[in-house]
Amino acid sequence: MILTEEQKRGQDVFFRIITEAWENDNFKKSLLTNPEETLEKFFGRSLPTGKKIKVADQSNPEYIYINIPVKPQMKDVELDEKKLDTVSGGSSNGTGMTDYESLYDSLRSIYK
């Protein structure tokens, strides 16, 4: 899969957070107990309003972790031609439909 520039920026944000948590135990502890304040300090800016952040420590190698993302509310979404084609099976290439734009909305304001 080819990532868009926005997806690459969102991925970079996640990698920066994860790397800092791996290298800095105090950051990791703070991220687990107060993620919003910790990330605001880390990025030097306020987080998007109306969003909470939940951080789970998934570093125990004895477990396989599964994260279930928010289910898209399709009734509220207007589809452009590309998305309509994907939903109708025209260009999904055998993959499930993922609305990456919504997935990265909460990171846009942080990484500008």
Side-chain angles (χ1 to χ4, degrees):
M1 172 173 67
I2 298 172
L3 297 176
T4 66
E5 288 304 312
E6 185 174 349
Q7 290 166 338
K8 289 177 188 176
R9 285 192 306 270
Q11 191 176 55
D12 183 53
V13 168
F14 281 123
F15 291 162
R16 288 174 56 199
I17 294 166
I18 291 166
T19 300
E20 185 69 20
W22 283 345
E23 295 175 355
N24 182 338
D25 285 335
N26 289 329
F27 176 81
K28 180 179 175 180
K29 288 175 189 172
S30 180
L31 188 62
L32 289 166
T33 58
N34 194 343
E36 289 88 358
E37 183 179 314
T38 303
L39 291 175
E40 285 180 350
K41 286 180 184 176
F42 185 67
F43 290 109
R45 62 177 56 213
S46 296
L47 298 176
T49 58
K51 294 287 182 182
K52 296 178 186 175
I53 298 175
K54 182 173 181 98
V55 177
D57 184 357
Q58 299 180 347
S59 58
N60 186 334
E62 295 180 17
Y63 292 91
I64 294 174
Y65 298 92
I66 299 172
N67 291 309
I68 301 171
V70 174
K71 183 176 180 180
Q73 299 296 317
M74 295 307 292
K75 65 182 180 192
D76 298 332
V77 176
E78 285 196 35
L79 301 177
D80 59 22
E81 289 297 321
K82 184 177 178 183
K83 287 181 182 177
L84 187 59
D85 195 34
T86 300
V87 171
S88 67
S91 65
S92 68
N93 298 325
T95 61
M97 187 179 117
T98 302
D99 184 358
Y100 288 105
E101 186 175 327
S102 295
L103 187 61
Y104 289 110
D105 272 349
S106 63
L107 296 173
R108 272 190 208 149
S109 296
I110 297 172
Y111 196 72
K112 282 189 177 178

